[in-house]
Amino acid sequence: MNIDELKSTARAIVAAQKGVLAADESGPTIKKRLDAIKVEANEANRRRYREILFTSAGIEQYIGGVILYDETLRQSTSDGIPFAELLARRGIMPGIKVDKGVSPLALHPGEKITEGLEGLRERLLEYKQLGARFAKWRAVIEIDEHDIPTPYAIRANAHALARYAALCQEAGIVPIVEPEVLMDGSHSIERCAAVTSSVLKYVFAELDSHGVALEGILLKPNMVIPGIKCAQQATVQQVADATMHCLTSSVPAAVPGIVFLSGGQSAEDATDHLNAMNRQVAHPWQVSFSYGRALQAPVLAAWKGLEDNVALAQETFFRRCQLNGLARDGKYTRAMESDILA
């Protein structure tokens, strides 16, 4: 493990105004995205859609890393440049999703465990050869008002995250550690804060016990937000305050960056929440984004699978990246959604 290389990669991904594009949708997920715009989800269309994103002009100002899916890491542009090479040439770190999705947690109804540790060491070595500089593993934490997550489900997922992170660092790859407390349900913001805090404390205890160097990871947590069915929704400032309070008490200062997932929020809400957090007092880590739908949904709506719409789709993507870059400095406002930025 070359800790200096890991630290350098992690810092580059979350450099000033930069964040992460999560373009690591699995086959079934990207099919849902393309079905929504009535585009057949075949290999050619999946490749073309990712090419539109990765070749958009100017995005390297705001995107420090892109998480790819296994298929996408092996694909190339129309003129034969591997996507990983294309991104690296633009100063964007190529990354790879390495977990294999979730399964029911045995003897714990309603809870999940992430699979994919078997054979991970060998896969990481191949991904490194293909150009990946960082990786991502998502743990899914179900939540209700009272009973779940159980302490065992939290521990099991934290342990798997730590094993994954250790294997990544052994291979010279920066791990993005993603423990996601879901937005589904009717739980309050206070319940989300309590569960998120507990999950993060377990995760960092396991990372420490596995010898993972915190200076060479990135954390991808959920924001502290009420469940989508909760009767009492929160203001932007309430989400920012609750999230930063939780992170300040749970995340060591050695972690170079926190890259939030959007978790089903609208593009505007995800940007607004990030902006509010960066308007607060100084924090020890870079506070950034690792968005999938919150960056891509407007792009898909603009593209519609039509080559005549590619320029509009790319302009839309750049604009979304730019707005989140401004949010990293606390300089975004909702009015900018309709303004033309220079």
Side-chain angles (χ1 to χ4, degrees), residues 19-157:
V20 177
L21 165 65
D24 59 333
E25 299 88 355
S26 64
T29 300
I30 193 63
K31 184 178 186 304
K32 290 179 185 176
R33 304 280 188 269
L34 294 177
D35 284 349
I37 58 168
K38 297 181 172 55
V39 172
E40 183 182 353
N42 56 35
E43 190 274 340
N45 287 335
R46 293 194 300 267
R47 190 208 63 80
R48 179 58 179 145
Y49 172 58
R50 266 57 181 267
E51 181 178 34
I52 289 168
L53 293 174
F54 305 158
T55 58
S56 296
I59 61 168
E60 64 272 12
Q61 298 173 66
Y62 306 108
I63 299 297
V66 175
I67 309 170
L68 306 171
Y69 192 57
D70 181 274
E71 174 188 73
T72 318
L73 182 62
R74 302 173 191 278
Q75 289 174 327
S76 302
T77 63
S78 301
D79 51 359
I81 302 170
F83 282 149
E85 182 181 336
L86 170 76
L87 292 168
R89 285 184 188 179
R90 304 188 68 181
I92 300 171
M93 298 288 180
I96 179 70
K97 168 189 165 75
V98 297
D99 71 71
K100 295 191 173 182
V102 298
S103 297
L105 183 60
L107 305 181
H108 287 72
E111 299 192 277
K112 303 288 195 300
I113 187 70
T114 302
E115 308 284 359
L117 288 170
E118 184 175 355
L120 180 57
R121 175 180 275 120
E122 292 74 24
R123 288 193 290 128
L124 286 168
L125 293 175
E126 181 188 14
Y127 289 146
K128 185 76 180 290
Q129 292 177 339
L130 289 170
R133 300 286 300 277
F134 70 98
K136 191 207 79 168
W137 176 289
R138 174 178 178 246
V140 175
I141 308 297
E142 302 278 352
I143 178 175
D144 66 12
E145 291 99 316
H146 305 291
D147 300 321
I148 61 174
T150 60
Y152 174 71
I154 296 174
R155 287 198 306 270
N157 278 288

Side-chain angles (χ1 to χ4, degrees), residues 194-212:
V195 170
T196 301
S197 178
S198 179
V199 167
L200 291 174
K201 287 173 181 175
Y202 272 108
V203 166
F204 281 104
E206 286 288 350
L207 290 170
D208 179 66
S209 69
H210 281 70
V212 173

Side-chain angles (χ1 to χ4, degrees), residues 149-269:
T150 60
Y152 174 71
I154 296 174
R155 287 198 306 270
N157 278 288
H159 183 80
L161 278 167
R163 286 186 61 193
Y164 141 81
L167 286 166
C168 283
Q169 290 194 337
E170 176 186 80
I173 288 175
V174 169
I176 290 185
V177 175
E178 180 180 358
E180 179 181 3
V181 178
L182 297 179
M183 280 178 59
D184 302 336
S186 55
H187 55 277
S188 67
I189 192 170
E190 292 81 10
R191 173 69 173 155
C192 181
V195 170
T196 301
S197 178
S198 179
V199 167
L200 291 174
K201 287 173 181 175
Y202 272 108
V203 166
F204 281 104
E206 286 288 350
L207 290 170
D208 179 66
S209 69
H210 281 70
V212 173
L214 298 185
E215 300 88 347
I217 75 165
L218 295 171
L219 176 68
K220 182 173 178 175
N222 54 282
M223 297 179 191
V224 175
I225 197 165
I228 56 175
K229 297 178 183 177
C230 180
Q232 185 64 47
Q233 289 298 308
T235 66
V236 169
Q237 196 58 52
Q238 286 171 331
V239 170
D241 289 344
T243 303
M244 295 308 294
H245 181 269
C246 176
L247 296 175
T248 300
S249 64
S250 306
V251 181
V255 175
I258 294 171
V259 289
F260 286 104
L261 57 91
S262 51
Q265 300 176 65
S266 70
E268 298 82 1
D269 284 348

